Amino acid sequence: MPDAIGYELLGDIAILESRNPPVNALGIDVRKGLVDGIDRAARDGAKAILIYGAGRTYFAGADIREFGMKPMEPGLPEVCDHIEASPLLVVSALHGTALGGGLEVAMSSHYRIAVPSARVGLPEVGLGILPGAGGTQRLPRLTGIEAAIGMVTTGRQVGAAEALDLGILDRVAEGEPRQIGLTYTQELLDSGAQRRPVCDMPAPAAIDFQAALGAVQGKARGQLSPVNAFLAVQAAAELPFRDGLARERELFMELMASDQRHGLIHAFFSERAVGKLPELKGVEPRELSAIGVIGGGTMGAGIATAALLSGLNVTMLEMTPAAAEAARGRIEGNLNGALKRGKISQAQFEALTTQALSISTEYDALKDVDLVIEAVFEDMDVKKTVFKRLDAVCKPGAVLATNTSYLDVNEIAAATSRPQDVIGLHFFSPAHVMKLLEVVVADKTAPDVVATGFALGKKMGKISVRAGVCDGFIGNRILSTYRTCADHMILDGASPYQIDKALVDFGFAMGPFAVADLAGLDIGWAVRKRLAATRDKRERVPSFPDTLCEQGNFGQKTGKGYYDYAAGLRAGVPNPDVPTMVDANRAELGITPRDFTDKEIVRRYMAAMVNEAARVVGEGIARRPLDVDMTLLFGYGFPRYRGGPLKWADLTGLEGLLNDIKTYASEDEYFWQPAPLLQQLVAQGRSFDDLNKEA
Ligand code: 3H9
């Protein structure tokens, strides 16, 4: 028997212990071990079998790394059937996270006990698939159809107490899984309990499936897996158990073959790989317990909030007592939100706002902090002045970070006598909510300062991505290119509203013009003015975005931008002045507008995004394609089920994209210059993902 499952016979009970760290994923050795163990227990004359996991968890699911490989027998569905069909009484003892295939193994057991801290769930939809080892047929037989639909279509995990209420667990007990499992199994044997296969339980009662499906489709926003998962659960009510399993398999295989499955699994592994940089192996971060934040506007207050919530002490620096008070108000407002959502208690709220937070108007207050993040006005001279002051006041070894979103971190570092301690930490607004953190590494930044940036991100629960220095780093640089592409399409005949809609239909959380209204149109305006002097003569520069700003329309904060928010609607309605501004711009440039299909809009927009992303990787601004993918996913509303722009490009076909870029170049040679890395990959017949694997 493979070592992945330990076997021991203790009296009447055969014990199967999974030993497959770190999460007891149900890889081929574990599956074989389970089947062998079940058979051996019968041969050994045991009366019952106890299954549990060694280490930190019961099985956390199928081994995702096996997806896409040649199937290896026995598959998980066969393993589950084998467990359920055992003539012996089978008990599973759960701890940690019994997820996906893990919960499916548990539900194939005849009885289930768990420690109070255990969590269970079927998170497969998040990977673009559905529970494919009987989970969609067994769960509704235990919980009823509605609870099963809720869990299976959202991937929601439930704690042990709720799982007990729902009928997923039979008992919850304190202790180690082995010990509580043995006690329970012995008790069942002593009481003469019978085998209790879920497959023999009555089918769950049907509901109004049509209405329920509509609700699931609405929330899925283009993602296929929740819908197929729903249909599989529906089959549990409508078909006999075996036929239901066959239906589950059919719907599962459909998803396995989908690009969305590739995209979501890429996201799963990339999310974990993004913070693991070869250059940081063995590099210890610096001490991090107290930080300073300069500037208490929306961004600074958000950063301070995130830091407080992660257990750090924060000193906020503002210019005047009035600004300091306003900053306190913003931070308290943010923490109040966390209190209302139950993320912190009233006592924690009090402690965070009184003991952990201090606000000052004197730089001297920053002399003892371990790290300072500057979030002041986006202006190089202002930033340099701040860093000179920090250089004078901060203790040796303190990390000096700028939250700039575009400016040259090397130039900022050069304003200090300690450029090795200077780094960019680019948060996204609202910083206590948005998951992305770009860790911008300047030429002289010391490795342990980079490690400290990543350590801070981890503490705050962020997805931290390493970025090199350039205008806009990874995210904003790519954003400015695809935004330019969108502006060009408007000049040529599309409307902002058609573009926004086409991209929302593609899966983006919001379209680029709605995003611009939210972020504030003055930001882009300032960037355009800064870059105007160095602009290449061949660049097509629309004037309508400037016209909009010149008339005082900065988006949501002024009540009007591309959309009009006067009616109090969060989404706004199209601003009727915009088409007039666009028409004037077209007339001035002598453009006759043409129609765009939604498909062409998406194709051009994505081609521009991928092309710039390829440049960002080619120049080493992003270390790996997956770094770009995670940046766009966590900071720019890119649909997770497409994996990120470069995963999308791989799945779509790089050669076709390159050909389209070359075709577009016949209209605008300057904008549509193919990225060298994209050309190289096409010439070599390789993909972006190949580069991820080599890194
Ligand atoms: C399924 O079950 C399909 C079936 O229905 C049907 C089949 C027919 N496989 O997250 P962590 C790795 S689909 C392979 O950092 P944590 C992970 O990559 C599955 N590897 O730890 C990482 O590796 P590395 C349904 C896996 O404590 C290491 O383990 N199950 C798997 O923060 C540690 O992971 C799920 O979707 C896996 N299934 O969180 C659960 N899981 O160290 C997915 C993890 O090299 N897993 N790894 O970077 C999770 O949600 C979290 O990992 C878990 C632990 C909550 C378990």
Side-chain angles (χ1 to χ4, degrees):
M1 188 191 308
D3 288 333
I5 295 288
Y7 180 91
E8 183 189 345
L9 188 63
L10 199 69
D12 289 332
I13 304 173
I15 303 168
L16 307 189
E17 181 194 67
S18 177
R19 299 170 183 164
N20 189 25
V23 297
N24 280 315
L26 286 147
I28 182 62
D29 290 343
V30 177
R31 298 200 300 275
K32 277 188 185 154
L34 282 170
V35 169
D36 290 350
I38 297 282
D39 293 345
R40 182 166 166 193
R43 284 199 306 276
D44 285 353
K47 292 192 177 136
I49 298 169
L50 169 66
I51 302 174
Y52 73 95
R56 66 196 219 208
T57 185
Y58 186 78
F59 311 103
D63 189 336
I64 306 168
R65 287 163 308 190
E66 282 182 8
F67 290 1
M69 289 183 182
K70 197 166 162 281
M72 288 175 276
E73 300 298 328
L76 198 55
E78 291 76 50
V79 175
C80 288
D81 288 350
H82 200 71
I83 293 171
E84 192 170 56
S86 169
L88 312 184
L89 194 114
V90 186
V91 178
S92 268
L94 282 50
H95 77 298
T97 43
L99 300 176
L103 181 56
E104 291 177 301
V105 169
M107 290 191 293
S108 308
S109 309
H110 305 139
Y111 293 88
R112 289 158 293 280
I113 182 168
V115 299
S117 59
R119 301 185 66 74
V120 307
L122 294 171
E124 284 88 341
V125 286
L127 299 170
I129 55 170
L130 54 78
T136 65
Q137 305 305 298
R138 291 191 178 95
L139 185 68
R141 282 176 164 75
L142 291 170
T143 64
I145 209 88
E146 276 175 351
I149 288 174
M151 282 179 68
V152 173
T153 60
T154 63
R156 182 174 82 90
Q157 291 180 21
V158 301
E162 189 182 350
L164 185 67
D165 276 352
L166 286 170
I168 300 169
L169 295 175
D170 301 298
R171 184 175 290 185
V172 175
E174 297 275 1
E176 292 299 314
R178 176 187 167 99
Q179 169 251 316
I180 61 167
L182 278 172
T183 309
Y184 184 45
T185 309
Q186 193 57 55
E187 200 182 302
L188 288 166
L189 285 177
D190 293 346
S191 67
Q194 299 297 303
R195 290 169 66 255
R196 209 189 40 178
V198 176
C199 64
D200 293 343
M201 293 180 181
I207 55 162
D208 177 354
F209 286 113
Q210 211 47 43
L213 176 62
V216 170
Q217 274 167 331
K219 283 196 204 129
R221 300 188 56 240
Q223 194 174 323
L224 304 171
S225 53
V227 175
N228 276 26
F230 175 93
L231 296 174
V233 177
Q234 180 176 351
E238 295 178 344
L239 300 174
F241 184 76
R242 288 286 140 202
D243 295 348
L245 282 186
R247 176 79 175 129
E248 174 191 91
R249 178 106 306 239
E250 184 187 358
L251 291 159
F252 175 82
M253 293 312 285
E254 205 175 288
L255 293 175
M256 276 301 262
S258 70
D259 281 355
Q260 293 195 3
R261 187 269 290 182
H262 287 280
L264 285 162
I265 287 180
H266 171 73
F268 177 86
F269 284 116
S270 300
E271 210 176 308
R272 286 162 175 79
V274 76
K276 289 183 188 146
L277 290 175
E279 71 202 58
L280 292 185
K281 243 193 174 143
V283 180
E284 282 298 314
R286 294 185 186 175
E287 163 78 24
L288 203 56
S289 60
I291 75 161
V293 178
I294 308 181
T298 308
M299 180 55 95
I303 296 171
T305 308
L308 289 165
L309 289 172
S310 71
L312 292 163
N313 287 330
V314 175
T315 303
M316 162 67 71
L317 186 74
E318 255 300 354
M319 308 257 277
T320 63
E325 262 328 287
R328 177 177 288 283
R330 283 187 199 102
I331 297 169
E332 288 185 355
N334 293 341
L335 290 172
N336 216 2
L339 175 66
K340 280 197 191 125
R341 284 191 305 278
K343 277 182 76 179
I344 51 171
S345 64
Q346 185 67 40
Q348 281 169 310
F349 176 85
E350 304 297 337
L352 291 180
T353 48
T354 53
Q355 294 151 30
L357 173 68
S358 59
I359 305 200
S360 175
T361 51
E362 302 294 330
Y363 267 82
D364 217 40
L366 299 174
K367 68 180 175 13
D368 294 324
V369 299
D370 304 309
L371 179 148
V372 190
I373 305 169
E374 155 285 305
V376 302
F377 188 63
E378 194 75 341
D379 176 278
M380 184 54 92
D381 290 337
V382 177
K383 304 261 185 203
K384 281 184 177 168
T385 310
V386 167
F387 273 76
K388 280 193 182 118
R389 301 286 300 269
L390 288 176
D391 193 14
V393 78
C394 288
K395 68 180 181 188
V399 174
L400 311 182
T402 169
N403 178 55
T404 180
S405 29
Y406 283 94
L407 299 177
D408 184 346
V409 183
N410 285 317
E411 199 178 330
I412 296 173
T416 73
S417 65
R418 36 175 142 172
Q420 72 282 0
D421 295 339
V422 177
I423 194 165
L425 292 177
H426 181 211
F427 289 84
F428 290 72
S429 197
H432 56 298
V433 177
M434 293 290 286
K435 289 276 276 182
L436 182 65
L437 173 65
E438 279 182 310
V439 178
V440 186
V441 181
D443 292 349
K444 295 191 176 153
T445 310
D448 64 342
V449 170
V450 182
T452 312
F454 275 91
L456 177 71
K458 190 164 185 197
K459 231 176 168 21
M460 290 180 170
K462 304 281 180 213
I463 298 289
S464 308
V465 180
R466 183 205 185 280
V469 176
C470 67
D471 208 278
F473 318 123
I474 299 178
N476 280 346
R477 172 166 161 183
I478 298 172
L479 162 76
S480 92
T481 302
Y482 61 75
R483 248 315 293 266
T484 301
C485 170
D487 286 351
H488 288 172
M489 288 193 277
I490 291 181
L491 281 182
D492 292 334
S495 86
Y497 317 108
Q498 186 193 1
I499 292 177
D500 273 1
K501 183 180 176 308
L503 290 159
V504 168
D505 290 348
F506 176 80
F508 275 94
M510 290 166 91
F513 297 97
V515 169
D517 271 2
L518 182 64
L521 301 181
D522 47 331
I523 299 175
W525 194 28
V527 174
R528 287 193 298 278
K529 282 194 238 175
R530 178 167 57 80
L531 297 177
T534 52
R535 227 186 264 294
D536 192 290
K537 293 273 173 296
R538 293 168 294 172
E539 203 175 328
R540 285 180 87 194
V541 187
S543 62
F544 67 85
D546 296 341
T547 317
L548 199 54
C549 290
E550 280 154 14
Q551 295 183 7
N553 303 309
F554 294 162
Q556 288 201 14
K557 61 184 163 193
T558 60
K560 225 190 233 186
Y562 288 97
Y563 295 84
D564 187 332
Y565 303 90
L569 295 173
R570 246 192 107 211
V573 294
N575 175 357
D577 300 336
V578 168
T580 319
M581 293 177 199
V582 171
D583 281 344
N585 197 177
R586 285 176 189 149
E588 183 192 326
L589 297 170
I591 296 169
T592 311
R594 69 172 175 92
D595 286 341
F596 280 79
T597 62
D598 289 1
K599 199 170 158 209
E600 183 183 1
I601 287 173
V602 170
R603 186 74 180 171
R604 282 179 179 255
Y605 192 80
M606 287 305 301
M609 190 184 301
V610 170
N611 201 39
E612 191 62 22
R615 259 195 207 102
V616 161
V617 176
E619 291 170 19
I621 298 297
R623 280 271 193 268
R624 304 154 295 188
L626 69 86
D627 293 316
V628 171
D629 285 343
M630 295 307 99
T631 302
L632 270 290
L633 234 59
F634 288 99
Y636 296 82
F638 193 93
R640 185 179 172 94
Y641 63 76
R642 298 193 189 272
L646 296 179
K647 183 67 187 176
W648 174 87
D650 278 348
L651 291 167
T652 301
L654 299 189
E655 192 169 0
L657 267 176
L658 180 61
N659 288 340
D660 282 359
I661 290 170
K662 286 178 179 163
T663 310
Y664 303 150
S666 62
E667 301 158 14
D668 181 350
E669 208 180 11
Y670 178 74
F671 182 77
W672 290 108
Q673 296 172 51
L677 179 63
L678 182 59
Q679 291 177 299
Q680 189 188 323
L681 289 176
V682 171
Q684 296 169 344
R686 297 195 316 148
S687 66
F688 285 109
D689 215 23
D690 289 335
L691 301 180
N692 287 327
K693 290 181 188 125
E694 285 163 16

